[in-house]
Amino acid sequence: MVDAVPTGAETAAEPAPPAYDLAGRVAVVSGGASGIGYATAEALIGAGAQVVVADIDPTAGQKAADTLGAWYAELDVTSSADWARLVENATKVFGGIDIGFLNAGVDTGGAGLDSLTDAAYRRIMAINVDGVVYGARALAPAIERRGGGRLVATASLAGLVALPRDPIYTATKHAVVGLVRALAPELAGRGITIHAVCPGLTDTPLLGGAKAYLEEQGMPLLTPPDIAAAVLGCLRSTETGQAWVVQAGREPLMYKFRGVPGPAGGVRPPKDFRDPEI
Ligand SMILES: NC(=O)c1ccc[n+]([C@@H]2O[C@H](COP(=O)([O-])OP(=O)(O)OC[C@H]3O[C@@H](n4cnc5c(N)ncnc54)[C@H](O)[C@@H]3O)[C@@H](O)[C@H]2O)c1
């Protein structure tokens, strides 16, 4: 018997699926009037996509859209009716939607438990969490009708680590990361990938008065185009359910979650109750 001579074909890895091409896609960017959303809208247009700048601020939103050559849609991400209207109108104008960047977000300005009002709490939960849930729920069927596509949500490093300066912001961003990871399998079955982008401190109006202090402390700040580049990386990726860390001076990287111990005795929960890492 002659040993088979390996040709290499037996062990060759499956060819990598082609990266997702952004040219000709229709993308909705929430919070697109400013900061990270604006820079991402600009990068998407640069990559050949058509962009809907969706923002609660009509003056800044319209100005951004005019400057970028995008379409403006007034959207309060906390309103499911607004999301439904956006999907209907964008579908009429562009024929469909391929990409959703669920990015609008706010912080509490550093409110601790004692200074946190009910209104401030409800506001941040509504924008940072409801806004992502409602957006994913409204956009997924539209993206599915196009045969699949992409969702990315803006979380934060505060979605992966505790930020004692703003615990409620931390809670909302942990919610976004958990939501993205848990939604990924269902969305994969519908041809949609979803990622969370987790930027460090980025030079946008969100920093407010903290910017001067951070600069004084020598803290390097990311720029909105840095985050936009990471978002485009998420969109082009064939992975799903990942949290991408973006830190000043580093390439964006997929965060590796540590495995969580399963129950003792080797018993494993049924598959649909199980974190794939257990
Ligand atoms: N700047 C940072 O350091 C940083 C770091 C990590 C994560 N983030 C996240 O990035 C995202 C974008 O923030 P940014 O830094 O670009 O801030 P930004 O203030 O420049 O932009 C936020 C945009 O969201 C819009 N917006 C606010 N509430 C809205 C609502 N209810 N409906 C629709 N649009 C609404 C605003 O009008 C604004 O245009 C947020 O989710 C934020 O939490 C920011």
Side-chain angles (χ1 to χ4, degrees):
M1 183 184 154
V2 180
D3 285 344
V5 178
T7 60
E10 303 86 341
T11 52
E14 289 284 315
Y20 186 73
D21 188 1
L22 299 172
R25 307 290 184 185
V26 178
V28 173
V29 177
S30 80
S34 175
I36 292 169
Y38 181 93
T40 304
E42 189 171 34
L44 280 163
I45 290 168
Q50 290 178 292
V51 172
V52 179
V53 168
D55 203 286
I56 198 168
D57 180 339
T59 310
Q62 190 61 60
K63 189 171 169 222
D66 291 346
T67 310
L68 293 170
W71 193 69
Y72 171 62
E74 189 167 344
L75 170 81
D76 179 351
V77 292
T78 72
S79 159
S80 50
D82 273 18
W83 275 110
R85 191 169 45 245
L86 171 91
V87 169
E88 196 186 326
N89 291 341
T91 303
K92 268 189 209 141
V93 173
F94 296 106
I97 299 168
D98 304 288
I99 294 167
F101 180 37
L102 307 169
N103 163 74
V106 293
D107 63 13
T108 68
L113 280 184
D114 288 343
S115 57
L116 181 72
T117 63
D118 288 6
Y121 176 62
R122 288 293 157 214
R123 174 172 184 265
I124 190 170
M125 295 306 280
I127 297 173
N128 290 15
V129 182
D130 299 2
V132 176
V133 174
Y134 291 175
R137 187 179 62 181
L139 293 175
I143 296 174
E144 203 177 356
R145 283 195 289 278
R146 298 277 266 194
R150 298 290 190 259
L151 287 171
V152 176
T154 307
S156 166
L157 281 188
L160 299 170
V161 299
L163 191 68
R165 198 185 61 79
D166 200 334
I168 308 302
Y169 183 76
T170 301
T172 65
K173 296 302 186 179
H174 273 64
V176 171
V177 170
L179 177 75
V180 161
R181 299 179 74 212
L183 277 178
E186 178 202 322
L187 290 174
R190 301 165 69 181
I192 303 169
T193 67
I194 184 165
H195 294 276
V197 68
C198 299
L201 292 161
T202 308
D203 186 2
T204 75
L206 189 81
L207 288 186
K211 181 182 169 184
Y213 170 76
L214 291 164
E215 281 178 341
E216 220 175 86
Q217 298 300 311
M219 182 70 200
L221 298 180
L222 290 147
T223 66
D226 293 336
I227 316 306
V231 174
L232 263 58
C234 293
L235 294 172
R236 291 191 170 113
S237 167
T238 50
E239 300 272 346
T240 192
Q242 303 295 324
W244 293 75
V245 171
V246 195
Q247 285 277 37
R250 292 182 189 275
E251 288 297 312
L253 63 99
M254 276 192 275
Y255 184 72
K256 196 89 198 95
F257 288 87
R258 293 185 69 176
V260 175
V267 184
R268 308 198 77 198
K271 206 162 175 271
D272 48 345
F273 275 78
R274 193 163 73 215
D275 184 312
E277 286 158 37
I278 295 179

